[in-house]
Amino acid sequence: MNSCFPILLLLLFHPTLRAQRFEYVEPHMGTEFRIVFYASDEADANAAAAVAFQRIDELEHIFSDYIGESEVSRLSATAGTGQKVAVGDDLWKVLTFSQKVAKKSKGAFDVTAGALTKRWRQAFRQKKFPQAQDLESAKKTAGFKKVKLHKNHQVELLKTGTQLDFGGVAKGYAVDEAMNVLKKNGISAAMIDGGGDIAVSDAPPGEPGWAIECSVYKAGELDTRMFFLRNRAVATSGDTYRYLEWEGKRYSHIIDPRTGMGVTSRQIVTVVAPTCMQADAWATALSVEAGTGVFRHLKKKGIEVSFSRY
Ligand code: AMP
Ligand code: MG
């Protein structure tokens, strides 16, 4: 018998070679989550995708500040009351990480900016610039030093009116968590895109990586850039779709918590990082003036950044 025969048989029945491509889309966290992966069995694939979406849904009900009963909304409601609130593992993990990014970015990224972001969201809806005194009072409630982390996962919000907004980081965390669910279900070649916060595991069969398309400005026009990635995450932040045009200036939905103002620098920031939570938070942080000191820290963490300016 030909000595190659057993190897051929092995290759023929190797799971990645028999793998089919599956794709699923569901709305979550105010955007569309797309899950693409390779698997050999349709029923197993459907079941794995369903559990991944369940995990995203669970996280939405923890982090959303649009849901009045979310863990984050309930925590924000205790601001200034002196209460120490024991929070769950997910909130503790994302909050402690966010506090580190806030410190490193000198407050450019700050999840305590919720009163300001709510005021700006309202301005976007009304297409009207926010009142200066509203911004001034909202600004007083923001600042990462107004959060005290106690032992046993207890959180205290020191200042009345402080509202938490995890919109700049929670989608990335949800993408990471959904990827972990897929891995636990034996799916090793996957891509999860949570509205521009993307994580990829192993490359599709026979490919160098997952083809990722990101928005860039080329000569003042929106364009795309393509690159291949595996076992990494990428996030993009910028003013491309959500902004307020007022008296000739464009104000982004990303605000500088230190000034209370929507960012006006026209740029798209793309961050490639080991986790999607890192990519998401840093893409938001670097859309605001975070100081040049952060780049050494980012390099140490294996985080790469590219700016595309209008
Ligand atoms: P992203 O699209 O990931 O850049 O996140 C933008 C969202 O993060 C906004 O819509 C706000 O909900 C929130 N946000 C805005 N500015 C900041 C900031 N400076 N730090 C943290 N979160 C912010
Ligand atoms: Mg972000």
Side-chain angles (χ1 to χ4, degrees):
M1 192 170 63
N2 186 330
S3 64
C4 289
F5 187 65
I7 296 172
L8 271 176
L9 261 184
L10 197 76
L11 282 175
L12 214 60
F13 289 101
H14 192 276
T16 56
L17 285 181
R18 285 183 290 119
Q20 281 172 262
R21 183 181 188 278
F22 294 92
E23 179 166 351
Y24 308 84
V25 181
E26 278 191 14
H28 289 281
M29 298 182 151
T31 187
E32 223 165 50
F33 272 72
R34 194 160 67 92
I35 299 183
V36 183
F37 59 76
Y38 289 80
S40 47
D41 182 87
E42 188 171 353
D44 289 350
N46 292 345
V51 191
F53 281 127
Q54 259 167 37
R55 178 74 176 124
I56 295 166
D57 190 59
E58 178 184 27
L59 293 171
E60 181 171 2
H61 282 84
I62 292 171
F63 288 102
S64 175
D65 58 342
Y66 290 89
I67 300 173
E69 272 309 297
S70 73
E71 194 178 3
V72 161
S73 297
R74 284 186 279 120
L75 177 58
S76 292
T78 68
T81 62
Q83 281 182 69
K84 294 178 194 166
V85 182
V87 302
D89 288 347
D90 292 309
L91 183 48
W92 181 258
K93 198 168 158 190
V94 180
L95 177 59
T96 49
F97 169 75
S98 297
Q99 288 294 88
K100 283 186 196 147
V101 177
K103 276 187 201 118
K104 284 279 172 203
S105 69
K106 300 193 162 59
F109 178 87
D110 198 325
V111 294
T112 64
L116 281 168
T117 56
K118 280 211 175 81
R119 193 61 201 84
W120 278 96
R121 272 185 217 160
Q122 193 186 7
F124 278 33
R125 276 195 306 271
Q126 298 171 340
K127 296 190 172 42
K128 246 179 95 186
F129 201 80
Q131 298 271 324
Q133 76 236 38
D134 284 355
L135 290 181
E136 207 42 53
S137 57
K139 200 174 83 180
K140 290 195 181 112
T141 68
F144 64 93
K145 290 182 184 152
K146 298 180 175 79
V147 178
K148 200 153 182 206
L149 302 173
H150 295 276
K151 53 181 191 307
N152 302 326
H153 290 197
Q154 290 188 99
V155 180
E156 184 182 354
L157 301 179
L158 301 172
K159 172 112 184 144
T160 306
T162 298
Q163 292 182 45
L164 301 172
D165 175 354
F166 286 88
V169 61
K171 281 206 299 281
Y173 180 67
V175 165
D176 286 334
E177 286 300 296
M179 187 61 92
N180 287 339
V181 168
L182 295 184
K183 282 184 182 154
K184 277 189 199 132
N185 282 272
I187 290 154
S188 59
M191 194 267 313
I192 304 179
D193 179 355
D197 296 316
I198 303 169
V200 295
S201 51
D202 293 348
E207 301 285 334
W210 290 87
I212 306 288
E213 234 178 38
C214 279
S215 298
V216 286
Y217 282 123
K218 258 190 210 150
E221 296 287 331
L222 257 189
D223 205 331
T224 53
R225 179 168 72 97
M226 221 230 330
F227 52 96
F228 288 92
L229 271 189
R230 55 194 150 94
N231 296 309
R232 298 280 276 171
V234 56
T236 305
S237 278
D239 67 348
T240 14
Y241 304 111
R242 288 159 66 199
Y243 55 84
L244 172 73
E245 203 91 67
W246 191 257
E247 292 178 349
K249 266 195 178 164
R250 187 191 272 222
Y251 295 86
S252 166
H253 67 116
I254 298 171
I255 55 112
D256 187 336
R258 300 158 301 187
T259 63
M261 296 301 281
V263 168
T264 52
S265 53
R266 299 283 309 270
Q267 61 178 7
I268 297 169
V269 185
T270 303
V271 176
V272 176
T275 71
C276 202
M277 174 165 75
Q278 289 169 314
D280 189 3
W282 280 107
T284 307
L286 295 166
S287 296
V288 188
E289 182 53 59
T292 49
V294 295
F295 291 99
R296 221 179 43 208
H297 165 78
L298 296 180
K299 202 168 168 203
K300 262 203 311 218
K301 295 269 173 196
I303 299 173
E304 299 153 63
V305 186
S306 67
F307 292 93
S308 167
R309 299 203 160 97
Y310 181 70

